[in-house]
Amino acid sequence: MSKTYKIEVDCANCANLVEEAARKVAGVKDLSIAFMTQKMKVTFEDGVDQDAVMENVLKTAKKIESDFQIL
């Protein structure tokens, strides 16, 4: 299952670094960030708790870019 989230990230390089790190979060099958539209598309692995996965994605993202937000 895929979901698209509105995000806030300050620069394209930060978006790339967050995307690379967040793809490695457990429960994430695929993840892509479109900096220009400020959107993040996440494909979840089957049977995972999506809210818990997104909490971990946000924690991971904030380690790279402290201002990163999922709106």
Side-chain angles (χ1 to χ4, degrees):
M1 175 172 185
S2 295
K3 274 190 161 179
T4 301
Y5 297 88
K6 180 84 174 127
I7 61 169
E8 188 173 309
V9 62
D10 294 336
C11 70
N13 186 50
C14 296
N16 288 336
L17 293 172
V18 168
E19 178 180 76
E20 186 177 308
R23 278 188 181 145
K24 298 174 184 173
V25 171
V28 174
K29 189 173 187 178
D30 192 32
L31 184 144
S32 62
I33 293 178
F35 174 71
M36 294 302 288
T37 60
Q38 296 281 297
K39 291 190 178 176
M40 175 173 62
K41 183 177 180 182
V42 182
T43 303
F44 298 95
E45 292 178 357
D46 293 334
V48 297
D49 178 354
Q50 293 177 11
D51 291 334
V53 171
M54 289 310 297
E55 281 183 37
N56 290 331
V57 166
L58 182 59
K59 284 180 191 174
T60 300
K62 285 197 171 278
K63 289 178 186 175
I64 296 162
E65 171 58 49
S66 60
D67 292 338
F68 185 89
Q69 293 183 25
I70 301 173
L71 306 173

